[in-house]
Amino acid sequence: MPEQPAAHDPGADTAVGPAAGGAMAVATDDAGTLQRSLDQGPVPGGPGSGKARSLWSDAWHDLRRNPVFVASALVIAFLLLIAVWPQSIAPGNPLSCDLAMAQDGPSPGHPFGFDTQGCDVYTRTVHGARASITVGLCATAGAALLGSVLGGLAGYYGGWWDALLSRLADVFFGIPVILGGLVFLSVVTSDTVWPVVGFIVLLGWPQISRIARGAVVGAKQHDYVQAARSLGAGHTRLLLRHIAPNAVAPVIVVATIALGTYIALEATLSFIGVGLRPPTVSWGIDISNASTQIRNAPHMLLWPAGALSITVLSFIMLGDAVRDALDPKLR
């Protein structure tokens, strides 16, 4: 009896996105998994009500049971609290100093000691969280928004717009961060955080734009996008209703990890004197002032540097946990 040809699986042609490598492949797989989860009907024999869960509900289900995510989220929540209301645990004035107490060690009411100007290190460490976290959050939001819009449009339309954006991103990738900060920020006289935020956004959007471009290129190949286009859906509806929800996962992962990096970058720029400037209270400024007195008064360096390290590590750990939860290959 002749062998019967193998049955053709109609889902096999639509489950695989365009071939790509690196972050583009991960982005494409994430988008495809999310759409398949949304399009699935009731799962026979599934747990509970039998309804299929989306990628986001599965990710949240995994994150709640991940101790790394829980620990990092609690630390970040505490940091956000003291950034918004530093007076809740440090009611003193970070700019109030007494030279008679310069470089003194810990004492009752001043657990972290004093710096070279006689300022309370504990108060300055707590109040320094506001500037550093503000720079990190605003720079991440700006870079993610700008990179997602430009990268998404380039991936959707392609052609000369895609080529122009790719060459423009290459130009910004070639700018050294420290050298660019010295040139860009040395001519800015503002004492606010916004010049530093603008500089980080300027150098941070190309990375996110490439991730967004790869995710959109992968998502627009799926049959549900082609079907919506054949039914008369316009470009705006296709981008906002069908492509963007399925391409946003890799952007969120990259932005979450980059947030910790941007906080460290702000401290580095402040340390070399071109980032935030006094009277702004910043961990980078305090680390810079304490670096010359590390032998005589190590407590001046220990606390702001420790707070910076814990903050950066918490955001990076949070980004790793989110990446593991949103990556279908790790399930």
Side-chain angles (χ1 to χ4, degrees), residues 251-262:
V251 174
I252 292 177
V253 172
V254 173
T256 306
I257 297 176
L259 201 158
T261 305
Y262 294 158

Side-chain angles (χ1 to χ4, degrees), residues 214-241:
V216 170
V217 168
K220 75 176 185 178
Q221 306 294 329
H222 290 288
D223 288 346
Y224 63 88
V225 176
Q226 305 300 330
R229 181 181 286 111
S230 65
L231 291 175
H235 296 305
T236 302
R237 182 179 179 84
L238 287 174
L239 279 170
L240 298 182
R241 294 292 302 275

Side-chain angles (χ1 to χ4, degrees), residues 106 111-113 121-122 125 283 298-308:
F112 293 175
V121 175
Y122 170 75
T125 300
W283 291 331
H299 64 274
M300 293 171 47
L301 179 65
L302 174 64
W303 298 109
L308 175 64

Side-chain angles (χ1 to χ4, degrees), residues 233-302:
H235 296 305
T236 302
R237 182 179 179 84
L238 287 174
L239 279 170
L240 298 182
R241 294 292 302 275
H242 300 283
I243 296 179
N246 298 329
V248 71
V251 174
I252 292 177
V253 172
V254 173
T256 306
I257 297 176
L259 201 158
T261 305
Y262 294 158
I263 293 177
L265 177 58
E266 177 275 318
T268 302
L269 295 173
S270 299
F271 179 84
I272 63 179
V274 297
L276 303 181
R277 297 179 174 90
T280 303
V281 181
S282 166
W283 291 331
I285 295 175
D286 289 349
I287 293 172
S288 177
N289 295 333
S291 60
T292 59
Q293 302 295 330
I294 188 172
R295 291 179 179 270
N296 301 326
H299 64 274
M300 293 171 47
L301 179 65
L302 174 64

Side-chain angles (χ1 to χ4, degrees), residues 17-248:
M24 186 181 296
V26 175
T28 304
D29 291 343
D30 285 345
T33 302
L34 175 58
Q35 182 59 34
R36 289 194 299 272
S37 300
L38 292 172
D39 292 342
Q40 285 176 353
V43 179
S49 61
K51 295 183 178 179
R53 295 187 303 188
S54 68
L55 175 66
W56 301 106
S57 61
D58 282 340
W60 176 239
H61 180 270
D62 294 341
L63 287 174
R64 287 181 301 173
R65 290 159 176 77
N66 188 341
V68 174
F69 171 80
V70 174
S72 59
L74 290 175
V75 173
I76 291 172
F78 174 74
L79 292 170
L80 293 176
L81 176 65
I82 66 175
V84 177
W85 297 289
Q87 295 83 4
S88 60
I89 63 173
N93 184 357
L95 301 179
S96 178
C97 306
D98 184 0
L99 286 175
M101 309 295 293
Q103 297 187 17
D104 284 358
S107 61
H110 307 281
F112 293 175
F114 298 86
D115 62 10
T116 55
Q117 301 297 322
C119 303
D120 184 36
V121 175
Y122 170 75
T123 303
R124 290 186 63 86
T125 300
V126 173
H127 284 257
R130 171 175 292 180
S132 298
I133 293 180
T134 299
V135 170
L137 291 176
C138 293
T140 301
L145 179 61
L146 181 61
S148 298
V149 171
L150 295 179
L153 293 177
Y156 180 78
Y157 289 106
W160 66 269
W161 173 252
D162 188 12
L164 177 62
L165 178 71
S166 298
R167 301 294 76 77
L168 183 62
D170 291 339
V171 171
F172 283 97
F173 273 124
I175 300 177
V177 176
I178 302 301
L179 179 59
L182 288 171
V183 174
F184 180 82
L185 296 174
S186 61
V187 299
V188 179
T189 59
S190 175
D191 294 333
T192 65
V193 301
W194 303 117
V196 180
V197 170
F199 170 73
I200 295 176
V201 171
L202 189 64
L203 294 187
W205 72 265
Q207 178 189 18
I208 296 181
S209 71
R210 288 193 170 182
I211 300 298
R213 176 191 176 277
V216 170
V217 168
K220 75 176 185 178
Q221 306 294 329
H222 290 288
D223 288 346
Y224 63 88
V225 176
Q226 305 300 330
R229 181 181 286 111
S230 65
L231 291 175
H235 296 305
T236 302
R237 182 179 179 84
L238 287 174
L239 279 170
L240 298 182
R241 294 292 302 275
H242 300 283
I243 296 179
N246 298 329
V248 71

